[in-house]
Amino acid sequence: MNGISLTIYLAVFWLLTESSGAETVMFSTKLIHRFSEEVKALGVSKNRNATSWPAKKSFEYYQVLLSSDVQKQKMKTGPQFQMLFPSQGSKTMSLGNDFGWLHYTWIDIGTPNVSFLVALDAGSDLLWIPCDCVRCAPLSASYYNSLDRDLNEYSPSASSTSKHLSCSHRLCDLGTSCPSPKQPCPYSIDYYTENTSSSGLLVEDILHLISGGDNALKNSVQASVIIGCGMKQSGGYLDGVAPDGLIGLGLGEISVPSLLAKAGLIRNSFSMCFNEDDSGRIFFGDQGPATQQSTSFLASNGKYITYIIGVETCCIGCSCLKQTSFKAIVDSGSSFTFLPKEVYETIAAEFDRQVNDTITSFEGYPWKYCYKSSSQRLPKLPSVKLMFPQNNSFVVSNPVFVIYGTQGVTGFCLAIQPADGDIGTIGQNLMTGYRVVFDRENLKLGWSHSNCQDLNDSTKSPLTPGPGTPSNPLPANQEQSSPGGRAVGPAVAGRAPSKPSTASTQLISSRSSSLKLLPFLLLLRLLVSASQVYIPAPLLA
């Protein structure tokens, strides 16, 4: 097939058995090659980088065609692995106030592999790590209370599998501002938390993973991913939040889940589990158990750019409250939860009405509804339940932040705050005790009770901490003072998956009987559907 537009005329002679004569029926459809001038013009009109268009019959031209064929084969044969997780294990952990109350996991990158302790953020897309640092957070273990080893700094020149992304790469958002399309692609992300950002250059390198799942052998997997070589950080990233980097788990093409799914390694889904003891799990490819409850993600301006869900009503104890419907972003990169102001006030007032302890305030804590405990134990609290369409419900395992003293529990606070806008944020604290599945393939959020130790375990986590639980330090200052109160606000999510344009089709009218032509029309429909314009999207290679 050459690089120009091809017009194929399908001629079919249909013998009419009921008459003495025969009639000819002709159908036509225009097939447009992915690298034709028509498609190139279409790409330019949609602000795609025309300089990345491969020259006809060049090495890159055939490389992209081959990559596309390989990708299609992977889509046909299904994912290679049921689940994948980081090579150092699926375990995640919260390191408390020292690290902004977020969950972290160890990942290995490059050749030879180097370890990084990255924050898990479902509200942004890019995986970035400190790299050839100009302005980064301290990496010495002596700077932090929770570490027993120093953190690492990445250098592309030290990895034999690393290569810079050029400004002409289709995933280079800032490519149009480059002086030359061959220069390394820069990136800059401004997060919602005030003055918090990361910037540097985009590189491609190996992320080391292990396969897992039911009855699956454990195999090492090396996956090509795009990494932000974070040379300059600011704001919270210099104050202990994600000092060794952050892995974006959003819907953008550049995120790790997107790249793993596109490479045919896993189903387009992942799960995170948050246990009461601050441990957790992460699994790429996990679509959850059949018994889980779920709700659909909602589009924003017609596009799925982040994990937004719609809550129909909220219940406190046995009271389901009117006018408590709201939309919220489900974000593991937010330590705590924020609801639209009117919904927050309604829920908090009903919670306060049902709590028997005395309302008070604790110096330095950001929450309004705090209570002094009458004993050294956490009292029985009213349940908090979120209701979704089709009678699906999410019962919050632990809606409070417990304050410990030397003798035990001294008080607790409803760990929810009012949001500035009309969209809330469901943070990590409300996900405690659940295996939360971000099913991007079916655009659904799933959840099931879990102790985070076994994927098949449905045991509910205990509501109260075990004996010997250490006192909780105060939430980080940046969580109290930043707009929306997020320890790490999610970045604006990346591009929504683009849809291929269909080639124009034309059907020549026929005088034959519609009923007699029905089988052929069905066949033609299949042929026309296969003639869509395909915008080049080479694999990472």
Side-chain angles (χ1 to χ4, degrees):
M1 186 174 181
N2 56 32
I4 62 173
S5 301
L6 298 180
T7 302
I8 301 176
Y9 292 97
L10 306 175
V12 176
F13 298 93
W14 193 279
L15 181 62
L16 300 178
T17 57
E18 287 83 358
S19 63
S20 57
E23 296 184 10
T24 300
V25 182
M26 180 174 286
F27 300 91
S28 72
T29 181
K30 189 176 184 181
L31 301 181
I32 302 177
H33 194 274
R34 70 190 70 177
F35 293 138
S36 65
E37 292 300 318
E38 290 94 327
V39 179
K40 184 175 181 180
L42 178 64
V44 173
S45 70
K46 292 188 177 182
N47 298 320
R48 292 189 178 91
N49 195 343
T51 60
S52 63
W53 213 260
K56 189 191 305 182
K57 297 185 179 181
S58 65
F59 174 77
E60 184 184 6
Y61 175 89
Y62 291 112
Q63 186 180 43
V64 172
L65 290 180
L66 179 59
S67 296
S68 300
D69 291 341
V70 171
Q71 179 64 24
K72 289 177 182 177
Q73 283 300 116
K74 290 178 179 178
M75 294 174 64
K76 291 177 182 178
T77 58
Q80 294 182 42
F81 304 102
Q82 184 178 353
M83 295 183 199
L84 293 174
F85 51 87
S87 57
Q88 294 202 32
S90 62
K91 186 176 180 179
T92 67
M93 69 210 82
S94 173
L95 301 175
N97 191 58
D98 233 11
F99 284 75
W101 295 96
L102 299 178
H103 266 249
Y104 292 79
T105 193
W106 288 100
I107 62 172
D108 288 338
I109 291 175
T111 307
N113 59 297
V114 180
S115 300
F116 298 90
L117 182 64
V118 293
L120 305 174
D121 185 13
S124 64
D125 296 327
L126 184 65
L127 163 59
W128 65 263
I129 50 180
C131 167
D132 293 345
C133 286
V134 176
R135 185 174 65 240
C136 299
L139 300 178
S140 171
S142 61
Y143 190 83
Y144 307 97
N145 296 323
S146 308
L147 295 180
D148 58 2
R149 55 169 156 161
D150 291 342
L151 302 175
N152 288 313
E153 178 180 343
Y154 176 75
S155 179
S157 61
S159 174
S160 62
T161 49
S162 172
K163 62 180 180 180
H164 283 282
L165 256 68
S166 67
C167 289
S168 62
H169 195 283
R170 64 185 186 87
L171 293 180
C172 181
D173 283 343
L174 300 180
T176 54
S177 62
C178 296
S180 167
K182 294 183 178 181
Q183 285 188 338
C185 174
Y187 83 88
S188 179
I189 300 178
D190 294 317
Y191 291 81
Y192 287 163
T193 303
E194 189 175 8
N195 298 322
T196 296
S197 66
S198 176
S199 61
L201 299 174
L202 293 182
V203 299
E204 178 191 342
D205 209 338
I206 296 298
L207 173 64
H208 298 266
L209 302 165
I210 294 177
S211 65
D214 297 336
N215 302 318
L217 295 174
K218 301 297 186 289
N219 295 313
S220 297
V221 178
Q222 296 181 340
S224 292
V225 296
I226 294 176
I227 301 163
C229 171
M231 301 175 177
K232 294 182 180 180
Q233 275 64 252
S234 67
Y237 293 146
L238 295 178
D239 298 329
V241 178
D244 209 24
L246 178 146
I247 180 169
L249 301 167
L251 286 162
E253 285 185 275
I254 206 168
S255 75
V256 168
S258 296
L259 294 171
L260 296 180
K262 184 175 180 182
L265 297 174
I266 56 166
R267 302 295 291 267
N268 194 7
S269 183
F270 71 93
S271 70
M272 285 188 287
C273 193
F274 303 96
N275 206 355
E276 195 72 38
D277 63 359
D278 291 332
S279 67
R281 301 280 178 181
I282 182 168
F283 289 95
F284 299 110
D286 181 22
Q287 292 187 305
T291 55
Q292 70 183 357
Q293 297 192 71
S294 65
T295 190
S296 297
F297 292 126
L298 303 178
S300 176
N301 297 322
K303 297 180 179 179
Y304 293 93
I305 59 174
T306 191
Y307 305 112
I308 301 175
I309 58 173
V311 177
E312 288 192 336
T313 190
C314 301
C315 303
I316 306 297
C318 296
S319 301
C320 291
L321 309 172
K322 296 181 180 180
Q323 297 181 333
T324 53
S325 63
F326 65 94
K327 294 179 181 179
I329 298 171
V330 183
D331 182 16
S332 65
S334 182
S335 309
F336 300 103
T337 295
F338 304 84
L339 301 182
K341 189 173 182 180
E342 291 183 1
V343 175
Y344 162 77
E345 293 293 351
T346 302
I347 290 174
E350 180 61 24
F351 183 86
D352 179 57
R353 188 184 72 81
Q354 296 188 30
V355 171
N356 293 325
D357 285 310
T358 305
I359 193 167
T360 185
S361 62
F362 292 94
E363 184 179 356
Y365 285 80
W367 299 291
K368 177 181 178 181
Y369 289 86
C370 293
Y371 304 85
K372 183 177 294 185
S373 179
S374 56
S375 65
Q376 278 74 47
R377 295 182 300 175
L378 188 67
K380 184 177 180 180
L381 300 174
S383 63
V384 177
K385 181 165 64 174
L386 309 180
M387 297 300 298
F388 296 92
Q390 299 179 351
N391 207 33
N392 286 298
S393 63
F394 185 102
V395 180
V396 179
S397 297
N398 194 356
V400 299
F401 186 92
V402 183
I403 302 168
Y404 292 93
T406 56
Q407 301 300 319
V409 176
T410 61
F412 58 93
C413 301
L414 178 62
I416 301 175
Q417 290 180 268
D420 293 334
D422 57 356
I423 296 183
T425 299
I426 294 178
Q428 285 182 13
N429 67 317
L430 290 203
M431 302 183 214
T432 300
Y434 282 93
R435 171 183 172 187
V436 182
V437 175
F438 295 78
D439 189 344
R440 301 133 58 87
E441 186 172 303
N442 297 300
L443 294 174
K444 288 186 176 183
L445 181 79
W447 61 89
S448 57
H449 285 294
S450 177
N451 66 3
C452 304
Q453 301 305 311
D454 184 347
L455 281 180
N456 298 316
D457 185 77
S458 58
T459 304
K460 185 175 180 179
S461 298
L463 293 181
T464 54
T469 302
S471 301
N472 282 340
L474 297 181
N477 290 333
Q478 59 266 27
E479 294 168 17
Q480 302 175 36
S481 60
S482 63
R486 304 181 183 198
V488 180
V492 176
R495 297 177 296 279
S498 59
K499 296 182 179 179
S501 303
T502 54
S504 60
T505 60
Q506 181 181 13
L507 178 64
I508 307 301
S509 61
S510 168
R511 290 177 294 169
S512 301
S513 166
S514 297
L515 288 176
K516 292 180 179 180
L517 286 176
L518 183 58
F520 182 79
L521 292 174
L522 292 174
L523 174 62
L524 179 65
R525 180 179 178 84
L526 292 174
L527 292 172
V528 171
S529 298
S531 65
Q532 295 178 326
V533 173
Y534 182 79
I535 304 299
L539 294 174
L540 292 175

